[in-house]
Structures are given as structure tokens and as C-alpha cells.
Amino acid sequence: PRPILDMSYSRHFLDFQGSSIPSSMKKLVVTKLSQNFREAVTLQQDAPVPLPGDGDLLIRNRFVGINASDINYSAGRYDASVKPPFDIGFEGVGEVVALGLSASADYTVGQAVAYVKAGSFAEYTVVPARQAVPLPSVKPEFLTLMVSGATAYLSLKELGDLSEGKKVLVTAAAGGTGQFAVQLAKKAKCHVIGTCSSDEKGGFLKSIGCDRTINYKTENVESVLKKDYPEGVDVVYESVGGKMFNLALNALAIKGSLIVIGFITGYQNPTGIQPIKAEFLPAKLLKKSASVRGFFLNHYLSDYKVALEHLLKMYERGDLVCEVDFGDMSPEGKFTGLESVFRAVDYMYMGKNIGKIVVELPHSVNSKL
């Protein structure tokens, strides 16, 4: 048996309101493989609260992040060997409420932490201490940086080759990762074009420095790009796929590069992708000495910690806007509690969010007094 730091007789094992850790909790579990999140996922009411091992932290989740790829995970697209039931949710922010003996060398009960690990859609999650990120406080803004901010930062740094004056097109620019791609490209003194689906999103994009916004519901993206950028764009940060991928590819300048970080329009299909006009791809790339590169965060984990530290410093200095969308404008209101994760995923696929969608998990106090 692995040693657990037994703090049950210490007041530190009690959380701030003087309540103890329960023996059971709610969590979301994938019980059937499907890209339809509501069909695939079940809310389990009485799962046992996991115990931290020697090098682990038990974190009480306060905020969890919604990602477009949650439905890729529930469809079993990332690891064909994993069979249901399995836990879901990629990232969380909360407090350490118990920890193993080795982990206590670097962490204490009550400490604010963030993490990226499967299984965050739960009231409590065990996270290896070496995978956790200590935070100054429990704030949802920090959660926006864990997957979305790091994806934008590392993909542009490794593949974007940004420099002053380059023209950068960001698709789904007002979304969770798009907001960071816009800001980071501006910091590199690039000219930034962002596509979005409403004037409200366009207003948000202008507020974070976007030079030209294109509302694809009211403007023809292809025509705007041809008219305003006849020489093409140097870098595309692309997360939409399908028709938008084709448009972006055609809009590339000589030696331009298109970075694929996702293709959200296809995720809800049984195959997970929307067809693109790929038969002309070799000719198009050759004609422009252009490139198409894919970026998947898991392949860059060796650079992750440094990237995240940089982003956290930028946010704390006030150099980075981390827009959070709690769904206040959604029909049934704010996303609160694990049961609202289903609504939050729907909201994302309706394209309603501005910034990163975050669900708050309120803590119910069971006082022993």
C-alpha cells in the first residue's frame, strides 16, 4: 500500500469552511462511445472519492474547462484501446484538499493548482504532483491558459515563424484558443485578421487588437480576403476545417504556412471530419512553396511548463486578456455544476461562446460542527 499523508486529525485536512472530504462524489463517465456527448456520457452520482498515492494531490475542482475535443474523447478517437467506462474532462482548477507524503514536499493543503489530465469532469480528481501547476489563487482565467493558451502559444512559436508585418489569419478567432492566437500574433507585431460569427464577437476581437474582423455570417470571407489581401496571408491559425480550410489554403501567400490545430466542423460527424478539396493540395502547395502543418499539444509536452509559466506571467502583468464564458447568455443561464457540462458542450457547438467556456463547480459544505 502506498503511504498517504493522513491529515484526518489535523484541522488542515478540513477545507476552509470546516467541512470534511466526503466518501462519494459526482463525476462524468463515458459509458458508450459516441461523438454525441449526451449519448456517450453519464453523470454518476455516487462515485468513490479517489485517494491520493504517495506522489499525488487530491484536488477539489472549482472550475473545469470545456474543449471542442471533449467529443473526440467521448467517441474514442484518441486511443482505440480504451473501452468504456472511462473518465472525461481534460483540465481543472481547484484546491489541494489531501496529498501523499512525497507530494507534501512541494504542496500544502489549501493550495490553488491547475492541471491538465483526463478526468477533470468530477468533484475531486487525483493528479500527480509533478503534473500540477501551482497558482496564486483559484481563478477561472488561469484555466483558459492550460490547454487553449498553451496550444496557441506553442503552435505559433514552433510553426508560425511570426515576425513584424506578417499577415496572420485566425479562424474562430473569438473562441477559446483563437483569442490567444490573435493576441500573441499582435505581440509579434503582425497584422491580424480574425473570422467570427457575430458583430458582438467582432467587437471583442477589436478590443484585443484584431486589425480586421470578418463576420462570416454577413460577409463573404473569400471575397474579403481576395479584395483586401490580394498578395495573400502569411500564416493561418486554423481550427474550423471543411470549407474554411479550403478558403484558408487558397488565401495563402507565397511561402505561407497553414497551421491546423483542429477541425471543429467535423467533430460531430460519425467520421470526425468534414471533407476538404484535397486533390489539388500538392499543386497548390507547390505553386506557392507553401506548407500545411498539424499541431497537437500532447506532442509538445516537453515545452509545456515553460510556455505556461510565460503565459501566466503575461496574464499577471496585464499583457494578456483571458476571456471566460460561463454561459451567462445561454438560454438556461450560467454553467454551474457537473450536470451543466452537457449544456456547455452544446453551447460550444452552436458557436455561441466568446472566449473559453468554463463550468463552475460550487462546493457544498457538510459541516461537522
Side-chain angles (χ1 to χ4, degrees):
R2 296 183 296 179
I4 289 169
L5 186 58
D6 181 7
M7 302 183 76
S8 50
Y9 296 102
S10 151
R11 65 188 180 83
H12 298 294
F13 193 69
L14 307 177
D15 62 40
F16 315 119
Q17 284 87 9
S19 62
S20 62
I21 297 165
S23 56
S24 66
M25 65 171 186
K26 292 180 187 172
K27 71 172 180 175
L28 295 187
V29 180
V30 176
T31 47
K32 172 192 167 188
L33 294 183
S34 170
Q35 76 283 355
N36 180 330
F37 195 81
R38 286 179 183 272
E39 275 182 20
V41 178
T42 304
L43 176 62
Q44 205 176 321
Q45 297 282 356
D46 54 355
V49 171
L51 287 172
D54 179 50
D56 296 334
L57 310 174
L58 178 64
I59 295 165
R60 187 178 79 222
N61 293 314
R62 290 274 303 283
F63 300 102
V64 294
I66 304 295
N67 291 283
S69 44
D70 288 330
I71 71 173
N72 287 334
Y73 200 67
S74 71
R77 287 177 184 147
Y78 289 150
D79 186 350
S81 67
V82 179
K83 300 286 178 269
F86 55 86
D87 298 348
I88 190 166
F90 292 130
E91 54 185 344
V93 165
E95 296 108 354
V96 176
V97 289
L99 68 174
L101 200 53
S102 309
S104 68
D106 300 306
Y107 288 91
T108 57
V109 166
Q111 191 162 354
V113 290
Y115 65 89
V116 176
K117 178 182 177 281
S120 70
F121 292 163
E123 291 178 319
Y124 295 85
T125 304
V126 165
V127 176
R130 59 186 163 73
Q131 286 180 23
V133 179
L135 297 175
S137 61
V138 176
K139 282 173 75 172
E141 285 78 8
F142 293 126
L143 193 54
T144 66
L145 301 173
M146 298 303 293
V147 171
S148 301
T151 295
Y153 179 88
L154 285 167
S155 62
L156 290 173
K157 181 173 176 284
E158 298 295 324
L159 310 177
D161 194 22
L162 301 183
S163 57
E164 187 170 350
K166 281 197 173 179
K167 294 185 271 298
V168 178
L169 170 65
V170 180
T171 64
T177 71
Q179 64 171 330
F180 295 112
V182 168
Q183 294 178 80
L184 294 167
K186 279 308 291 177
K187 295 209 178 307
K189 301 192 166 121
C190 297
H191 175 94
V192 183
I193 309 133
T195 70
C196 61
S197 60
S198 71
D199 291 342
E200 191 192 354
K201 290 184 180 188
F204 165 67
L205 288 173
K206 289 197 174 89
S207 78
I208 58 170
C210 199
D211 297 287
R212 173 70 159 98
T213 61
I214 308 173
N215 177 348
Y216 63 80
K217 295 274 177 81
T218 57
E219 294 180 273
N220 182 306
V221 179
E222 191 172 17
S223 307
V224 170
L225 291 172
K226 274 185 181 157
K227 178 173 159 290
D228 293 0
Y229 305 96
E231 301 290 305
V233 296
D234 302 297
V235 180
V236 183
Y237 181 88
E238 216 298 272
S239 62
V240 176
K243 289 176 183 164
M244 189 62 85
F245 175 90
N246 292 330
L247 284 180
L249 182 67
N250 292 338
L252 281 178
I254 304 274
K255 296 184 184 174
S257 58
L258 191 157
I259 304 168
V260 177
I261 64 116
F263 34 93
I264 188 171
T265 50
Y267 295 169
Q268 289 175 300
N269 298 349
T271 58
I273 49 175
Q274 258 202 342
I276 55 164
K277 292 177 182 164
E279 67 268 28
F280 300 116
L281 188 62
K284 284 178 178 175
L285 295 178
L286 180 67
K287 192 175 160 191
K288 293 177 173 176
S289 294
S291 67
V292 175
R293 300 281 300 271
F295 178 90
F296 188 48
L297 185 60
N298 291 16
H299 299 149
Y300 290 83
L301 293 181
S302 56
D303 306 309
Y304 179 78
K305 272 263 163 89
V306 174
L308 200 59
E309 281 166 15
H310 187 73
L311 289 165
L312 285 165
K313 280 185 188 137
M314 284 176 76
Y315 172 67
E316 285 174 346
R317 283 201 309 263
D319 288 345
L320 203 58
V321 172
C322 297
E323 189 69 17
V324 173
D325 192 333
F326 278 120
D328 294 303
M329 307 306 288
S330 68
E332 293 169 56
K334 187 176 174 179
F335 303 133
T336 306
L338 284 171
E339 46 286 341
S340 69
V341 167
F342 298 97
R343 283 201 298 122
V345 170
D346 289 345
Y347 181 75
M348 167 173 278
Y349 278 93
M350 288 188 286
K352 299 290 188 193
N353 58 300
I354 295 181
K356 172 89 180 178
I357 302 177
V358 173
V359 174
E360 183 171 7
L361 305 186
H363 178 51
S364 55
V365 176
N366 308 311
S367 178
K368 289 196 151 181
L369 300 175

Short mmCIF file of all heavy atoms in Angstrom, two decimals, residues 25 27-31 41 44 47-48 50 73-74 82-90 117-122 124-126:
data_model
loop_
_atom_site.label_atom_id
_atom_site.label_comp_id
_atom_site.label_asym_id
_atom_site.label_seq_id
_atom_site.Cartn_x
_atom_site.Cartn_y
_atom_site.Cartn_z
N MET A 25 -18.77 11.13 -4.51
CA MET A 25 -18.84 12.39 -5.28
C MET A 25 -19.56 12.14 -6.60
O MET A 25 -19.82 11.01 -7.00
CB MET A 25 -17.42 12.88 -5.57
CG MET A 25 -16.65 11.94 -6.48
SD MET A 25 -15.07 12.63 -7.05
CE MET A 25 -14.54 11.36 -8.21
N LYS A 27 -19.37 12.53 -10.76
CA LYS A 27 -18.41 12.68 -11.86
C LYS A 27 -19.07 12.26 -13.17
O LYS A 27 -20.08 11.56 -13.16
CB LYS A 27 -17.14 11.87 -11.60
CG LYS A 27 -17.27 10.37 -11.71
CD LYS A 27 -15.89 9.72 -11.62
CE LYS A 27 -15.97 8.20 -11.73
NZ LYS A 27 -14.64 7.57 -11.75
N LEU A 28 -18.50 12.71 -14.28
CA LEU A 28 -18.99 12.32 -15.59
C LEU A 28 -18.15 11.16 -16.11
O LEU A 28 -16.92 11.18 -16.01
CB LEU A 28 -18.92 13.48 -16.58
CG LEU A 28 -19.81 14.69 -16.30
CD1 LEU A 28 -19.75 15.68 -17.46
CD2 LEU A 28 -21.26 14.29 -16.07
N VAL A 29 -18.84 10.16 -16.67
CA VAL A 29 -18.17 8.95 -17.15
C VAL A 29 -18.66 8.65 -18.57
O VAL A 29 -19.87 8.73 -18.84
CB VAL A 29 -18.49 7.76 -16.22
CG1 VAL A 29 -17.81 6.49 -16.71
CG2 VAL A 29 -18.07 8.06 -14.79
N VAL A 30 -17.74 8.32 -19.46
CA VAL A 30 -18.13 7.85 -20.80
C VAL A 30 -18.56 6.39 -20.67
O VAL A 30 -17.78 5.54 -20.29
CB VAL A 30 -16.95 7.98 -21.79
CG1 VAL A 30 -17.34 7.41 -23.16
CG2 VAL A 30 -16.51 9.43 -21.94
N THR A 31 -19.84 6.14 -20.94
CA THR A 31 -20.38 4.78 -20.81
C THR A 31 -20.63 4.12 -22.17
O THR A 31 -20.88 2.94 -22.26
CB THR A 31 -21.69 4.80 -20.00
OG1 THR A 31 -22.53 5.84 -20.50
CG2 THR A 31 -21.41 5.07 -18.53
N VAL A 41 -22.07 10.12 -22.52
CA VAL A 41 -21.62 10.43 -21.16
C VAL A 41 -22.76 10.34 -20.14
O VAL A 41 -23.88 10.77 -20.40
CB VAL A 41 -20.99 11.85 -21.14
CG1 VAL A 41 -20.55 12.23 -19.73
CG2 VAL A 41 -19.80 11.91 -22.10
N GLN A 44 -22.51 10.25 -12.97
CA GLN A 44 -22.53 9.26 -11.88
C GLN A 44 -22.65 10.01 -10.56
O GLN A 44 -21.89 10.92 -10.28
CB GLN A 44 -21.22 8.46 -11.93
CG GLN A 44 -21.31 7.08 -11.34
CD GLN A 44 -20.00 6.32 -11.53
OE1 GLN A 44 -19.35 6.42 -12.56
NE2 GLN A 44 -19.61 5.58 -10.51
N ALA A 47 -19.88 8.14 -7.10
CA ALA A 47 -18.56 7.55 -7.34
C ALA A 47 -17.70 7.74 -6.09
O ALA A 47 -17.82 8.76 -5.40
CB ALA A 47 -17.90 8.26 -8.52
N PRO A 48 -16.84 6.77 -5.76
CA PRO A 48 -15.98 6.97 -4.59
C PRO A 48 -14.97 8.09 -4.83
O PRO A 48 -14.45 8.22 -5.94
CB PRO A 48 -15.26 5.62 -4.44
CG PRO A 48 -15.44 4.92 -5.74
CD PRO A 48 -16.66 5.47 -6.39
N PRO A 50 -11.50 9.45 -4.96
CA PRO A 50 -10.25 8.70 -5.03
C PRO A 50 -9.26 9.14 -3.95
O PRO A 50 -9.33 10.26 -3.46
CB PRO A 50 -9.71 9.05 -6.43
CG PRO A 50 -10.33 10.37 -6.76
CD PRO A 50 -11.67 10.40 -6.07
N TYR A 73 -12.91 12.72 -27.57
CA TYR A 73 -12.53 11.81 -26.49
C TYR A 73 -13.68 10.84 -26.17
O TYR A 73 -13.46 9.64 -26.01
CB TYR A 73 -12.15 12.63 -25.26
CG TYR A 73 -11.31 11.89 -24.25
CD1 TYR A 73 -10.01 11.50 -24.57
CD2 TYR A 73 -11.80 11.58 -22.99
CE1 TYR A 73 -9.22 10.82 -23.65
CE2 TYR A 73 -11.02 10.90 -22.06
CZ TYR A 73 -9.72 10.52 -22.40
OH TYR A 73 -8.96 9.85 -21.49
N SER A 74 -14.92 11.39 -26.12
CA SER A 74 -16.07 10.53 -25.82
C SER A 74 -16.37 9.56 -26.96
O SER A 74 -17.01 8.54 -26.77
CB SER A 74 -17.32 11.37 -25.49
OG SER A 74 -17.83 12.00 -26.64
N VAL A 82 -8.81 2.04 -25.43
CA VAL A 82 -9.55 2.33 -24.20
C VAL A 82 -11.04 2.04 -24.40
O VAL A 82 -11.65 2.54 -25.35
CB VAL A 82 -9.35 3.81 -23.77
CG1 VAL A 82 -10.14 4.12 -22.51
CG2 VAL A 82 -7.88 4.09 -23.53
N LYS A 83 -11.59 1.24 -23.54
CA LYS A 83 -13.02 0.87 -23.65
C LYS A 83 -13.79 1.49 -22.48
O LYS A 83 -13.27 1.59 -21.38
CB LYS A 83 -13.17 -0.66 -23.60
CG LYS A 83 -12.43 -1.39 -24.72
CD LYS A 83 -13.14 -1.24 -26.06
CE LYS A 83 -12.39 -1.91 -27.20
NZ LYS A 83 -11.44 -1.05 -27.89
N PRO A 84 -15.07 1.90 -22.73
CA PRO A 84 -15.87 2.46 -21.63
C PRO A 84 -16.06 1.41 -20.53
O PRO A 84 -15.99 0.22 -20.83
CB PRO A 84 -17.21 2.79 -22.30
CG PRO A 84 -16.98 2.71 -23.77
CD PRO A 84 -15.81 1.80 -23.98
N PRO A 85 -16.30 1.82 -19.28
CA PRO A 85 -16.42 3.22 -18.86
C PRO A 85 -15.06 3.85 -18.57
O PRO A 85 -14.15 3.19 -18.10
CB PRO A 85 -17.22 3.10 -17.55
CG PRO A 85 -16.87 1.73 -17.02
CD PRO A 85 -16.60 0.86 -18.21
N PHE A 86 -14.93 5.16 -18.89
CA PHE A 86 -13.72 5.91 -18.52
C PHE A 86 -14.09 7.36 -18.23
O PHE A 86 -15.12 7.86 -18.69
CB PHE A 86 -12.62 5.80 -19.59
CG PHE A 86 -13.03 6.22 -20.98
CD1 PHE A 86 -12.96 7.55 -21.38
CD2 PHE A 86 -13.45 5.26 -21.91
CE1 PHE A 86 -13.30 7.93 -22.68
CE2 PHE A 86 -13.81 5.64 -23.21
CZ PHE A 86 -13.73 6.98 -23.59
N ASP A 87 -13.23 8.01 -17.44
CA ASP A 87 -13.49 9.39 -17.01
C ASP A 87 -13.19 10.36 -18.14
O ASP A 87 -12.42 10.07 -19.05
CB ASP A 87 -12.62 9.74 -15.79
CG ASP A 87 -12.95 8.86 -14.59
OD1 ASP A 87 -13.98 8.16 -14.64
OD2 ASP A 87 -12.17 8.86 -13.62
N ILE A 88 -13.79 11.55 -18.05
CA ILE A 88 -13.64 12.54 -19.12
C ILE A 88 -13.43 13.93 -18.53
O ILE A 88 -13.64 14.16 -17.35
CB ILE A 88 -14.89 12.48 -20.05
CG1 ILE A 88 -14.66 13.32 -21.32
CG2 ILE A 88 -16.17 12.87 -19.31
CD1 ILE A 88 -15.65 13.06 -22.43
N GLY A 89 -13.04 14.86 -19.40
CA GLY A 89 -12.68 16.22 -18.98
C GLY A 89 -11.18 16.35 -18.95
O GLY A 89 -10.49 15.49 -18.41
N PHE A 90 -10.62 17.41 -19.55
CA PHE A 90 -9.17 17.50 -19.73
C PHE A 90 -8.44 18.40 -18.74
O PHE A 90 -7.24 18.30 -18.58
CB PHE A 90 -8.84 18.03 -21.13
CG PHE A 90 -9.18 17.09 -22.24
CD1 PHE A 90 -9.91 17.53 -23.34
CD2 PHE A 90 -8.78 15.77 -22.20
CE1 PHE A 90 -10.22 16.67 -24.38
CE2 PHE A 90 -9.09 14.89 -23.23
CZ PHE A 90 -9.81 15.34 -24.33
N LYS A 117 -5.24 16.84 -17.22
CA LYS A 117 -5.24 15.38 -17.05
C LYS A 117 -6.67 14.89 -17.29
O LYS A 117 -7.62 15.55 -16.89
CB LYS A 117 -4.80 15.04 -15.62
CG LYS A 117 -4.81 13.54 -15.30
CD LYS A 117 -4.39 13.30 -13.85
CE LYS A 117 -4.46 11.83 -13.48
NZ LYS A 117 -5.82 11.36 -13.20
N ALA A 118 -6.81 13.75 -17.93
CA ALA A 118 -8.15 13.21 -18.18
C ALA A 118 -8.85 12.91 -16.86
O ALA A 118 -8.22 12.40 -15.93
CB ALA A 118 -8.06 11.94 -19.02
N GLY A 119 -10.13 13.29 -16.78
CA GLY A 119 -10.90 13.02 -15.57
C GLY A 119 -11.23 14.25 -14.75
O GLY A 119 -11.54 14.15 -13.57
N SER A 120 -11.20 15.43 -15.39
CA SER A 120 -11.48 16.66 -14.62
C SER A 120 -12.97 16.91 -14.41
O SER A 120 -13.34 17.70 -13.55
CB SER A 120 -10.86 17.88 -15.32
OG SER A 120 -11.56 18.18 -16.51
N PHE A 121 -13.84 16.24 -15.20
CA PHE A 121 -15.27 16.45 -15.00
C PHE A 121 -15.74 15.61 -13.80
O PHE A 121 -16.46 14.63 -13.92
CB PHE A 121 -16.07 16.07 -16.26
CG PHE A 121 -15.85 16.98 -17.44
CD1 PHE A 121 -16.21 16.58 -18.73
CD2 PHE A 121 -15.29 18.24 -17.29
CE1 PHE A 121 -16.01 17.41 -19.83
CE2 PHE A 121 -15.08 19.08 -18.38
CZ PHE A 121 -15.44 18.66 -19.65
N ALA A 122 -15.26 16.03 -12.63
CA ALA A 122 -15.56 15.34 -11.38
C ALA A 122 -15.41 16.34 -10.25
O ALA A 122 -14.74 17.38 -10.41
CB ALA A 122 -14.57 14.19 -11.17
N TYR A 124 -13.85 15.76 -7.43
CA TYR A 124 -12.48 15.60 -6.95
C TYR A 124 -11.68 14.82 -7.98
O TYR A 124 -12.21 13.88 -8.58
CB TYR A 124 -12.44 14.83 -5.62
CG TYR A 124 -13.10 15.55 -4.47
CD1 TYR A 124 -14.47 15.46 -4.26
CD2 TYR A 124 -12.35 16.32 -3.58
CE1 TYR A 124 -15.09 16.12 -3.20
CE2 TYR A 124 -12.95 16.98 -2.52
CZ TYR A 124 -14.32 16.88 -2.33
OH TYR A 124 -14.92 17.54 -1.29
N THR A 125 -10.42 15.19 -8.18
CA THR A 125 -9.55 14.47 -9.11
C THR A 125 -8.19 14.27 -8.46
O THR A 125 -7.66 15.20 -7.84
CB THR A 125 -9.37 15.28 -10.43
OG1 THR A 125 -10.66 15.55 -10.99
CG2 THR A 125 -8.56 14.51 -11.46
N VAL A 126 -7.63 13.07 -8.61
CA VAL A 126 -6.25 12.83 -8.16
C VAL A 126 -5.31 13.16 -9.31
O VAL A 126 -5.49 12.70 -10.43
CB VAL A 126 -6.06 11.36 -7.73
CG1 VAL A 126 -4.56 11.02 -7.61
CG2 VAL A 126 -6.74 11.11 -6.38
#
